Amino acid sequence: MSRKKKKGSRFVSEEVELDLTPMIDIVFNLLIFFMCATKFRTPEGMIESYLPKDKGQAAGTPQIDLNEVRIKLLWYDADGRPTKAEKGGHVVVKVGDERFNDAGDFAQLRYPSTSGVWKALGEKLVDFKANYKGGGEKGLPVIIDARKQVPTKYVISALNEVVRAGIQDVTFAAPEIDY
Amino acid sequence: MARKSKVEQEAEPKPDLTPMIDIVFNLIIFFMIVSELSNLTVEQLELSYASEAADPPKPGASKLDKVLQVNVLPDGLVKINGAAYSDDPKLKDVHPSLKEFIENEAAGYEREEPDPNNPALSPSKMKVNIRADKETMFKNVQQVFDACQKCGVYKTSLAATKENPKKQ
């Protein structure tokens, strides 16, 4: 300041002023962008899969209901043999000895669908439930036994059919032991 | 304008823009941080489709309805609140234990009476929602189930979308 006064007053009137308008334009644009981009991501729907609390590691031998339905999601190679490879396998859905699809038949596994594996599985489950005569307050026990390489979407498709059939006692089989 | 003398032009009042710029910058930083943070609990994943999926608890629900979100990424990485956890013995030195984390979380919740068939374990009231990517291998989900089961957390659920997928 003191230097300016020494040099003369004509510099004061020509003081350089920052033009803030473009910066404000940019800043407002950024603000609007972030306001629009901030989408508060909320949890989606969830499908209940309670774990059994009456069975556990300390429980000893669990009681086996002979009427239980075991939905098996197996992992086969292209030749239709069980495989341990993580890539290139195919899901095969089985209940008991009944096979719902062949390895590599992706059209059958598509979901949602009005035909194919999941519809057949759903009908089967409704049938099992209607014919269940066992005791227990929870009704027909269903176990989903998926091989560890199976993509989760197929497990959820199977679980969805179980819930749709109105079955309350759903459990997941423990992972198979590597040998 | 042309008629105005030089003196009049200089005297024209100019609004002080500094406070406004301060506020606007603060807002920008706020929105940037919020959008970062909201991604932490709920990772960007492609979920499986399930027509029977139930609605999630509404925001602002009581503590009992609060659900711990466990994300399972396509490559099998388990992430909770942005941090990775694993019970894989091979990754013992890389990630903290998932089981210990859930055990610590479950300590903040009440426990129920043990089931007569399994008196050794008193079940926790904690709820866990597993958000698994639809392509992730089931063993990665099993790992979370396993950790929950060992800690007595049985109220688990699997996240699914009700939106109709183009192709699954």
Side-chain angles (χ1 to χ4, degrees):
Chain A
M1 280 296 275
S2 53
R3 255 181 72 202
K4 271 180 185 170
K5 271 180 185 168
K6 264 185 207 167
K7 285 207 165 189
S9 60
R10 72 190 170 99
F11 283 102
V12 177
S13 62
E14 284 174 26
E15 207 173 294
V16 182
E17 273 199 36
L18 263 179
D19 188 8
L20 292 171
T21 324
M23 192 187 79
I24 293 167
D25 289 353
I26 298 290
V27 163
F28 266 121
N29 268 315
L30 278 174
L31 181 63
I32 290 163
F33 170 76
F34 279 111
M35 279 172 75
C36 295
T38 309
K39 204 180 116 199
F40 287 92
R41 222 181 277 154
T42 46
E44 308 81 359
M46 39 210 231
I47 191 154
E48 240 168 49
S49 57
Y50 279 14
L51 300 170
K53 53 178 174 174
D54 55 345
K55 295 168 198 143
Q57 287 168 333
T61 319
Q63 290 174 319
I64 294 170
D65 188 335
L66 290 174
N67 292 307
E68 69 182 17
V69 178
R70 208 175 181 92
I71 303 169
K72 286 180 275 194
L73 302 174
L74 304 172
W75 193 241
Y76 282 11
D77 62 14
D79 301 328
R81 283 188 301 263
T83 178
K84 289 198 178 293
E86 294 191 344
K87 286 201 174 97
H90 306 284
V91 182
V92 169
V93 183
K94 263 184 164 184
V95 174
D97 288 329
E98 194 184 336
R99 202 166 158 155
F100 286 85
N101 68 319
D102 288 319
D105 196 354
F106 287 111
Q108 293 279 303
L109 286 166
R110 205 158 287 164
Y111 199 80
S113 162
T114 48
S115 62
V117 173
W118 306 115
K119 183 159 189 283
L121 178 65
E123 281 165 5
K124 191 91 191 164
L125 288 170
V126 170
D127 193 42
F128 271 126
K129 192 179 178 240
N131 293 321
Y132 178 67
K133 289 188 184 68
E137 56 206 74
K138 288 199 283 186
L140 177 70
V142 172
I143 295 173
I144 299 177
D145 183 0
R147 290 289 167 270
K148 60 182 186 178
Q149 300 91 340
V150 171
T152 304
K153 60 182 177 183
Y154 298 124
V155 181
I156 291 186
S157 297
L159 179 62
N160 193 42
E161 286 306 326
V162 175
V163 173
R164 201 213 295 269
I167 292 162
Q168 273 145 29
D169 187 4
V170 199
T171 44
F172 289 93
E176 75 260 46
I177 300 152
D178 277 320
Y179 47 85
Chain B
M1 281 291 276
R3 282 174 61 198
K4 273 184 187 171
S5 72
K6 208 180 177 185
V7 182
E8 265 176 319
Q9 254 183 41
E10 268 172 29
E12 208 171 284
K14 284 207 176 163
D16 187 9
L17 293 171
T18 322
M20 191 188 76
I21 294 169
D22 289 353
I23 298 286
V24 165
F25 266 122
N26 268 316
L27 281 173
I28 287 184
I29 291 163
F30 170 76
F31 279 111
M32 278 170 76
I33 290 172
V34 160
S35 61
E36 282 292 305
L37 284 180
S38 65
N39 293 354
L40 283 180
T41 48
V42 185
E43 300 273 341
Q44 178 79 56
L45 295 173
E46 220 178 309
L47 294 181
S48 317
Y49 167 80
S51 58
E52 305 298 307
D55 291 325
K58 287 188 180 63
S62 67
K63 192 183 178 242
L64 269 183
D65 294 322
K66 249 191 181 167
V67 183
L68 178 73
Q69 300 285 347
V70 178
N71 300 279
V72 184
L73 273 54
D75 59 359
L77 193 67
V78 176
K79 279 186 120 182
I80 305 165
N81 290 334
Y85 296 89
S86 179
D87 276 339
D88 192 336
K90 277 178 246 160
L91 297 170
K92 209 174 74 186
D93 302 324
V94 189
H95 302 307
S97 164
L98 175 67
K99 189 185 157 260
E100 274 168 29
F101 178 82
I102 292 178
E103 207 162 21
N104 288 339
E105 285 286 309
Y109 289 82
E110 282 175 51
R111 289 199 173 255
E112 294 172 9
E113 288 294 306
D115 194 277
N117 289 328
N118 188 13
L121 191 81
S122 41
S124 170
K125 285 182 178 174
M126 186 167 93
K127 287 179 185 171
V128 171
N129 186 35
I130 303 172
R131 296 182 74 251
D133 191 275
K134 65 180 193 176
E135 297 297 342
T136 194
M137 279 184 281
F138 189 59
K139 66 170 180 182
N140 305 319
V141 180
Q142 265 172 338
Q143 179 193 330
V144 183
F145 275 147
D146 198 41
C148 290
Q149 173 98 58
K150 281 179 185 156
C151 302
V153 176
Y154 74 101
K155 289 183 174 179
T156 51
S157 58
L158 287 162
T161 171
K162 269 168 139 177
E163 273 166 44
N164 217 321
K166 279 160 247 129
K167 196 180 153 196
Q168 177 156 324

